[in-house]
Amino acid sequence: MSERRSLFGIELDPLTMDQTVERCLAAVRDGRQLEIGVVNAAKLVNMRRDPRLAAAVTGCDLVLADGQAVVWAARVLRAPLPERVAGIDLFLRLLAEAETAGIPVYFLGARQEVLQEMLRRVAVRFPALKVAGHRDGYFADAEQESIAESIAESGAQLLFLGMTSPKKELFTAAHGARTGARVVHGVGGSFDILAGVTRRAPESWQRRGLEWLYRALQEPRRLGRRYLATNAAFVLMTARERFRLTPSIAPANRSH
């Protein structure tokens, strides 16, 4: 068991993608539940502003670095992580493993038409995948309990939540156990990407930590200002933390 790394007061698991996939498959084999939380720069900023979001993420069994900026900050703050474990990449790896092993999955999230298109494309890409059930992500808070129960009745072992923050984190915290799924993974906008509604940044942009910019260029009016604000806040958070960790060079007080 790898020792967790503390970043901005949040405990992260220093796992590679392969190690994370193995943890998920082990949870299915052993009948244990594994709730996965992922953090990027924007979410770490928002967790400072939203105690409910912070509690929901830190309460997960695994907390992973979804953003490249988080990996860089961890290095700067002397809490190195082996690599980025992007939520969408973990999602695709788990779908492939589920198809091979016959593990039933459930998809919860997105608009109905997006969900249907994603299901169509997933069926082409993973033809032997067992889809135990699916539902769009537009529901009232009062419906959450019955939705969790219907997921449990479906027999799904992997549950993917294609919802925005903090909705997916709060659903996981409140109802993850009730769903009966062995692995609960909030994948955010991944349903939109798999459905072809939004495009994912090329790998070269991902390596440079510029996925946020690629996304903002697709929806500049909605996302541009938000990303700039959260990124600036994240840089400031990192700088303050680095300064706090830097030992003082002032001479020790020798007075008696």
Side-chain angles (χ1 to χ4, degrees):
M1 189 90 171
S2 304
E3 189 175 328
R4 285 182 140 186
R5 306 282 193 265
S6 182
L7 196 65
F8 308 114
I10 308 299
E11 299 291 313
L12 272 70
D13 292 279
L15 300 177
T16 64
M17 177 65 76
D18 288 345
Q19 289 169 333
T20 304
V21 170
E22 181 47 45
R23 289 277 187 98
C24 293
L25 296 177
V28 173
R29 284 196 305 269
D30 300 342
R32 292 180 292 103
Q33 188 169 57
L34 196 65
E35 293 179 356
I36 298 173
V38 297
V39 294
N40 55 21
K43 193 181 293 184
L44 285 169
V45 169
N46 290 330
M47 284 167 67
R48 289 212 158 175
R49 301 168 180 167
D50 185 345
R52 286 201 312 158
L53 174 60
V57 172
T58 55
C60 289
D61 302 292
L62 289 183
V63 182
L64 306 165
D66 178 48
Q68 187 61 44
V70 177
V71 177
W72 290 339
R75 198 175 301 152
V76 168
L77 300 176
R78 304 170 189 162
L81 299 165
E83 65 183 24
R84 175 192 185 203
V85 182
I88 186 169
D89 294 331
L90 177 59
F91 179 27
L92 291 169
R93 282 284 300 273
L94 290 176
L95 288 180
E97 294 287 350
E99 180 187 34
T100 301
I103 301 168
V105 307
Y106 195 105
F107 301 107
L108 175 63
R111 301 191 311 275
Q112 184 61 35
E113 61 271 24
V114 172
L115 179 62
Q116 290 300 328
E117 178 60 17
M118 186 202 73
L119 289 168
R120 187 189 69 77
R121 293 187 180 206
V122 163
V124 172
R125 190 166 179 175
F126 305 102
L129 181 69
K130 290 183 180 178
V131 179
H134 53 83
R135 193 199 190 286
D136 69 76
Y138 289 81
F139 49 84
D141 288 349
E143 297 178 84
Q144 291 191 14
E145 195 168 314
S146 63
I147 289 169
E149 287 172 357
S150 69
I151 294 168
E153 289 167 6
S154 78
Q157 297 289 286
L158 303 180
L159 169 61
F160 301 106
L161 305 176
M163 302 185 290
T164 56
S165 292
K167 188 172 182 178
K168 66 177 182 291
E169 288 86 2
L170 297 177
F171 181 89
T172 299
H175 304 290
R178 188 185 292 269
T179 67
R182 297 308 178 201
V183 177
V184 182
H185 178 24
V187 299
S190 298
F191 287 12
D192 285 8
I193 293 173
L194 263 61
V197 174
T198 56
R199 295 189 307 278
R200 192 179 182 195
E203 281 192 26
S204 59
W205 289 57
Q206 293 177 43
R207 284 195 302 273
R208 292 176 174 87
L210 293 174
E211 270 187 292
W212 65 273
L213 179 57
Y214 192 86
R215 186 80 181 85
L217 289 171
Q218 291 184 66
E219 295 186 71
R221 297 182 75 172
R222 188 172 78 86
L223 298 175
R225 185 175 295 178
R226 185 199 309 175
Y227 279 143
L228 287 174
T230 53
N231 284 353
F234 184 74
V235 170
L236 187 60
M237 271 171 56
T238 305
R240 282 178 174 161
E241 190 72 5
R242 182 70 181 89
F243 182 74
R244 191 182 69 78
L245 292 173
T246 303
S248 171
I249 59 171
N253 187 336
R254 296 180 181 277
S255 60
H256 296 285

